[in-house]
Amino acid sequence: MSVLWRLCVAAAALLAAVWLIRGDGEPPVEFLTPEPKAPVPSAPAAAELTGPAASPIRYAYEPHCNDDSDGCTHYILVSATGERWWLPGARDGAPFVLSADGTVAVHPLEGRYVARDLTTGEVTKLPVKARDSAGEMFGAQQPLLSLDGRHLLVQHDRVDEDGELVLERPMIVDIRRGTVHRLPKDARIAGWTTEGLALVTEEPARDRPGHATSAAYVIHSPGGRAVRRFTLPGNLARGLPSPSARTLASLPREIAPHDVVSPGILLTDTRTGRTLRTVVPRLPAGLKADGLVRWESEDALLVRAEDRHRRSSYHVVDLETGAARDLRVDMTPVADYWLAPAEFSVRIGSAR
């Protein structure tokens, strides 16, 4: 290659470099900056609830904020119309429960449980402690209000000599009268019915071929008296009795090649033990039923659903048609903690 040719190539390279650096002419490549996404609207700021709530509470949750303001350290109440309040005394991380009509909240206050009438703002102190002798909050079993909101289930826990968590005898508290009745120990809480609280224990199956265990259900009146009993196969020990206790709902699991699936909501006649039918909830695409929260009536269940990202939503399922109504529990403005996702703190009130 001649010296002249080398000089020509070098001159061309130099001109090209100057062109790119100085920006003379149109650049050969244009780098585009993506348009910024529209900001996600935040939830309405929560105000202190100093008196009656304007409407029944749809749900409550822990805010999971990172500061010490009142709105970040108390449960947030959300009404059916979207209004948000923080409730004085209802600290996040503590037990909390709403009545099914969204008008009563129960939480610890100054070491004891209190019932707060959200329609009047009246606070009733209950004769039940919320902390043990070491000052630790009781919390293995969340409090549970009866269907009419008058009675409260409380079950304390303690750590035994071997370091094991032990549940104490369940207690039923009459909120109006302030009386307490204790129930038998070593039984699991199954849920409230119109007659009282249902407890269940698993026992060896004696007269049920094909089943290793049986589930013995006992319904106790608010006064502590056993008023009804029925026994079902052991695989129904995690069922949820209907308000009349004539039907038991369960969510069976089946192992599929790549997942654990549920065929639907299994309804069982508690008098005969026979399957009545299986209801497949008509949930939006991508959702599957993950848990039964409570009965709304003899013909409807409140169901928790999940998507593939483990995000929760709540739906009222019509047991006649399978139709599912979304309660629109919105947790998008709430930050998750790695070991405590915000959705775990949701408490459902009025589903109407």
Side-chain angles (χ1 to χ4, degrees), residues 102-171:
T103 64
V104 176
V106 173
H107 59 86
L109 184 64
E110 299 176 352
R112 289 186 175 272
Y113 280 109
V114 298
R116 189 183 297 264
D117 187 330
L118 300 174
T119 64
T120 64
E122 182 181 356
V123 177
T124 302
K125 293 183 178 180
L126 303 178
V128 182
K129 292 182 179 180
R131 294 183 182 272
D132 60 21
S133 58
E136 296 294 329
M137 192 75 67
F138 295 113
Q141 167 68 53
Q142 282 284 335
L144 190 63
L145 281 164
S146 60
L147 303 182
D148 59 5
R150 174 173 174 175
H151 297 93
L152 177 72
L153 159 76
V154 176
Q155 188 172 25
H156 289 160
D157 53 61
R158 61 180 175 83
V159 178
D160 64 13
E161 296 82 0
D162 300 323
E164 298 291 333
L165 188 67
V166 178
L167 291 175
E168 301 284 1
R169 292 174 61 185
M171 295 178 287

Side-chain angles (χ1 to χ4, degrees), residues 85-303:
W85 301 279
W86 62 269
L87 191 60
R91 307 287 298 189
D92 61 346
F96 185 86
V97 63
L98 285 169
S99 62
D101 63 0
T103 64
V104 176
V106 173
H107 59 86
L109 184 64
E110 299 176 352
R112 289 186 175 272
Y113 280 109
V114 298
R116 189 183 297 264
D117 187 330
L118 300 174
T119 64
T120 64
E122 182 181 356
V123 177
T124 302
K125 293 183 178 180
L126 303 178
V128 182
K129 292 182 179 180
R131 294 183 182 272
D132 60 21
S133 58
E136 296 294 329
M137 192 75 67
F138 295 113
Q141 167 68 53
Q142 282 284 335
L144 190 63
L145 281 164
S146 60
L147 303 182
D148 59 5
R150 174 173 174 175
H151 297 93
L152 177 72
L153 159 76
V154 176
Q155 188 172 25
H156 289 160
D157 53 61
R158 61 180 175 83
V159 178
D160 64 13
E161 296 82 0
D162 300 323
E164 298 291 333
L165 188 67
V166 178
L167 291 175
E168 301 284 1
R169 292 174 61 185
M171 295 178 287
I172 295 180
V173 183
D174 188 317
I175 293 176
R176 294 180 190 171
R177 297 181 179 179
T179 57
V180 178
H181 295 280
R182 295 183 179 273
L183 302 180
K185 193 179 176 182
D186 300 327
R188 189 183 64 82
I189 308 300
W192 283 98
T193 69
T194 53
E195 292 182 293
L197 186 70
L199 305 182
V200 59
T201 55
E202 290 189 66
E203 304 172 347
R206 298 180 177 84
D207 54 354
R208 292 182 179 273
H211 295 278
T213 61
S214 61
Y217 285 84
V218 181
I219 298 176
H220 294 265
S221 71
R225 182 171 57 89
V227 295
R228 190 189 302 192
R229 302 174 186 269
F230 54 89
T231 302
L232 299 173
N235 63 323
L236 298 175
R238 296 283 170 177
L240 189 64
S242 68
S244 69
R246 293 194 298 266
T247 307
L248 190 83
S250 56
L251 201 61
R253 309 289 186 182
E254 296 179 358
I255 299 177
H258 304 290
D259 198 1
V260 177
V261 299
S262 172
I265 301 170
L266 180 69
L267 301 178
T268 303
D269 188 323
T270 59
R271 292 164 293 186
T272 64
R274 295 178 180 175
T275 299
L276 296 171
R277 63 187 184 280
T278 299
V279 179
V280 179
R282 289 158 46 194
L283 295 166
L287 293 179
K288 61 180 180 180
D290 184 65
L292 306 180
V293 180
R294 71 181 187 223
W295 288 77
E296 287 298 305
S297 67
E298 289 293 319
D299 302 313
L301 272 168
L302 177 58
V303 174

Side-chain angles (χ1 to χ4, degrees), residues 64-73 92 337:
H64 285 199
C65 305
N66 292 320
D67 61 57
D68 295 328
S69 64
D70 288 323
C72 279
T73 56
D92 61 346
Y337 289 157

